[in-house]
Amino acid sequence: MKQFLFITDLDYTLVGDDQAMAKLNERLKVHRQTHHTKIVYSTGRSLYLYQKLTDEKTLLEPDVLICAVGTEIYYGGSNTPDSKWSDKLSEGWDKGLVVQISEVFPKLKLQPESEQRPFKVSYFLEEKTSGDFLSELESRLLEQGLDIQVIYSLGSSAHINSLSGVYEQGKDLEIPVLDILPRKANKGMAMTFVRENLEIDVAQTVACGDSGNDISLFADRKEKGIIVGNAKQELLEWHKTHPNENRYLAKANFATGIEEGLEYFGFL
């Protein structure tokens, strides 16, 4: 056993079964103490919603926190995002113009203000959408010289407030989510940036996820990847059509699936 870099999504990946998470947390805590393993959370949540989650769930303190779908990186419990990463993302990005162009698409409903970040514009969709819609939106943005990417995934309303008028409150619904980011920003690119800063070998890195916005953690990667058994359909379909021996599809759900994958790759 030796040091590794552990990167995981939170909602419906690490978080979802409190008992299983507590068991995995204990094993990771011991491994970090013994082998200096690094723990990184990579979440679509803003820092604000991440902090709300820590009030609700018992999470290990991460060495690094990646928020807002890879657009913000926080080290060592800081509330100030890494400036080098922010500087990198600012090239070819104009948030105001992104919002202005996107407003002409009536299917798009802005997410709460807490989820609109300096390098992320996020929407809900009233219904699941097609690739044609995504292509049209992306084309309109690229035509204006914006260096962007459009990421579609199915999220949960469980951790989102202020959904009145869009979704029925009090229910944990699977909802279509659209994030517009700088092309240089996503969970996968943020993972590479953090891994290189921490100087941890790619072979000693493993990432875990459950939905479409985690695909960049797995696409054409030498890092190991774990997809939990309860993964969303868009990720499962992508996994099936993009095989990679470095990726493992767990049989178990949530943290138990992560533990299964870590044992499969020999990290635990």
Side-chain angles (χ1 to χ4, degrees):
M1 293 295 171
K2 59 180 180 179
Q3 180 194 49
F4 67 93
L5 176 59
F6 172 73
I7 300 172
T8 184
D9 174 53
L10 292 175
D11 294 287
Y12 298 96
T13 303
L14 179 65
V15 178
D17 179 332
D18 290 348
Q19 187 174 357
M21 183 172 66
K23 180 173 179 284
L24 177 59
N25 281 351
E26 186 57 33
R27 296 187 72 180
L28 289 171
K29 178 181 177 181
V30 171
H31 207 283
R32 177 161 62 178
Q33 291 171 342
T34 307
H35 301 288
H36 306 291
T37 281
K38 301 297 184 183
I39 296 173
V40 178
Y41 298 148
S42 183
T43 177
R45 289 175 179 249
S46 63
L47 180 62
Y48 167 75
L49 282 184
Y50 166 74
Q51 291 169 339
K52 289 201 69 174
L53 181 65
T54 63
D55 292 335
E56 301 163 4
K57 302 292 181 180
T58 303
L59 300 174
L60 294 176
E61 183 70 29
D63 297 281
V64 184
L65 175 64
I66 300 171
C67 282
V69 200
T71 62
E72 297 171 12
I73 299 174
Y74 301 87
Y75 287 93
S78 170
N79 288 334
T80 302
D82 182 83
S83 59
K84 290 182 180 178
W85 184 240
S86 297
D87 290 344
K88 185 174 183 177
L89 302 190
S90 64
E91 301 170 8
W93 173 254
D94 184 333
K95 181 180 176 180
L97 185 55
V98 168
V99 173
Q100 180 182 331
I101 294 169
S102 303
E103 282 178 342
V104 305
F105 291 86
K107 288 185 179 180
L108 299 176
K109 306 294 182 183
L110 276 170
Q111 290 187 25
E113 187 59 34
S114 69
E115 303 313 289
Q116 308 305 327
R117 306 301 299 161
F119 299 104
K120 180 172 80 78
V121 180
S122 294
Y123 295 93
F124 296 123
L125 289 160
E126 292 182 333
E127 57 188 21
K128 294 181 182 180
T129 191
S130 67
D132 290 342
F133 172 78
L134 300 179
S135 296
E136 182 184 357
L137 173 61
E138 188 169 33
S139 294
R140 294 270 191 98
L141 293 164
L142 293 173
E143 285 169 3
Q144 297 300 314
L146 293 165
D147 191 20
I148 56 85
Q149 59 183 309
V150 176
I151 298 178
Y152 172 81
S153 61
L154 293 176
S156 166
S157 64
H159 63 278
I160 299 291
N161 300 321
S162 307
L163 292 181
S164 178
V166 183
Y167 298 100
E168 184 179 349
Q169 293 182 323
K171 288 190 176 182
D172 183 9
L173 304 172
E174 190 174 77
I175 53 178
V177 173
L178 200 71
D179 296 307
I180 304 174
L181 318 173
R183 190 168 298 279
K184 295 176 182 176
N186 57 38
K187 288 186 174 185
M189 292 178 184
M191 173 174 68
T192 298
F193 184 84
V194 167
R195 180 181 61 76
E196 291 176 348
N197 278 352
L198 295 176
E199 298 182 339
I200 297 178
D201 190 86
V202 66
Q204 288 300 116
T205 302
V206 59
C208 314
D210 78 302
S211 71
N213 71 18
D214 297 314
I215 287 174
S216 62
L217 292 170
F218 308 125
D220 300 318
R221 288 282 174 179
K222 293 182 180 179
E223 295 93 343
K224 302 297 189 291
I226 300 169
I227 298 174
V228 290
N230 56 287
K232 301 288 194 303
Q233 194 62 35
E234 77 265 16
L235 178 56
L236 293 173
E237 290 175 358
W238 177 87
H239 168 70
K240 184 177 180 179
T241 56
H242 297 80
N244 186 329
E245 63 182 8
N246 291 325
R247 193 184 319 127
Y248 178 75
L249 176 59
K251 297 179 179 64
N253 298 342
F254 309 117
T256 306
I258 294 176
E259 190 171 19
E260 177 188 327
L262 291 174
E263 291 176 350
Y264 173 84
F265 286 121
F267 289 116
L268 289 179

